[in-house]
Amino acid sequence: MTDLRHVLRILPSFPAELSGFDPDDAPTDPLELFRAWLDDAIASGERQPHAMTFSTIDEDGRPAHRTLIVKDIDERGIHVSSSLASRKAAHLAARPWAGMLFFWRELGRQVEVGGHVEALSREESEADWRERPSYDGRDNPDWQVWALRPERFEFLQATHDRNHARVEYVRDGVAWSHRPLRASEQVGPA
């Protein structure tokens, strides 16, 4: 019988070559860094670079997760879409906050985003529905596009020694503050 613990320990975590990242040189605007990292993921050939884990809170205060894709990014936030009959729609109606976790394995990068979520217009939702690959000409009145307005970002660039480079951004009104996270402050994956 295979020792699962041993097998899990020897699995490779990241590719041999990883990009460098100095949190002290991070831009003041997290969306600038996010767009640059997303562009890098797209250019690298990363499979589904626009996919992320989208987390909401259910009626009992428990987290619920699913994989969604980003539909757009603009001044209102990061856009996602789904049916209003979905579990996530019910969660967002009761608690309009969510988290996103992007993981680009081949680059050794992870981005965590959290913030308030708001429903976008009926027109935008209908346009998104019509742009879906499975669109067959029928209207779907229960389709919704939401924008997550980021309040917090955490960027992680993996290193082979596991002393990952991290920077945290927090929104204070309309301005952003940011700081490198040191090993003693890191709470994510090791």
Side-chain angles (χ1 to χ4, degrees):
M1 176 183 268
T2 304
D3 179 0
L4 180 60
R5 183 172 188 271
H6 174 73
V7 170
L8 295 174
R9 295 236 180 234
I10 63 172
L11 289 173
S13 296
F14 301 108
E17 297 294 320
L18 292 170
S19 298
F21 173 63
D22 184 350
D24 291 320
D25 293 334
T28 57
D29 182 352
L31 282 171
E32 178 184 334
L33 183 56
F34 180 74
R35 287 296 305 265
W37 280 22
L38 179 58
D39 288 345
D40 288 349
I42 292 168
S44 76
E46 182 87 29
R47 190 170 187 88
Q48 289 193 307
H50 58 328
M52 74 6 232
T53 300
F54 187 79
S55 301
T56 55
I57 303 296
D58 74 11
E59 58 280 354
D60 296 319
R62 295 180 301 227
H65 317 283
R66 74 285 288 151
T67 302
L68 295 180
I69 60 171
V70 172
K71 298 300 190 88
D72 198 4
I73 301 170
D74 64 17
E75 69 284 350
R76 297 170 296 177
I78 303 171
H79 301 198
V80 297
S81 62
S82 178
S83 167
L84 287 169
S86 69
R87 180 178 64 149
K88 80 185 77 50
H91 295 172
L92 292 172
R95 293 182 178 90
W97 287 84
M100 297 176 168
L101 182 64
F102 295 85
F103 179 57
W104 299 302
R105 182 189 181 280
E106 296 308 314
L107 298 173
R109 289 180 174 169
Q110 173 179 292
V111 179
E112 180 185 345
V113 187
H116 183 265
V117 179
E118 69 177 53
L120 299 185
S121 72
R122 190 82 249 126
E123 294 76 25
E124 288 173 284
S125 298
E126 290 170 359
D128 183 73
W129 173 255
R130 288 190 301 273
E131 292 170 359
R132 291 172 55 81
S134 60
Y135 177 65
D136 62 3
R138 291 182 292 158
D139 289 333
N140 187 328
D142 76 342
W143 195 251
Q144 183 63 57
V145 176
W146 290 275
L148 182 145
R149 182 178 184 264
E151 299 292 330
R152 181 184 176 275
F153 280 90
E154 184 178 322
F155 294 84
L156 176 148
Q157 174 62 64
T159 60
H160 290 292
D161 65 3
R162 301 283 186 181
N163 290 316
H164 307 314
R166 294 183 188 220
V167 63
E168 176 187 52
Y169 289 82
V170 177
R171 186 189 298 269
D172 181 17
V174 294
W176 288 96
S177 63
H178 70 286
R179 66 189 180 103
L181 293 178
R182 306 300 176 208
S184 62
E185 301 171 294
Q186 297 178 5
V187 294

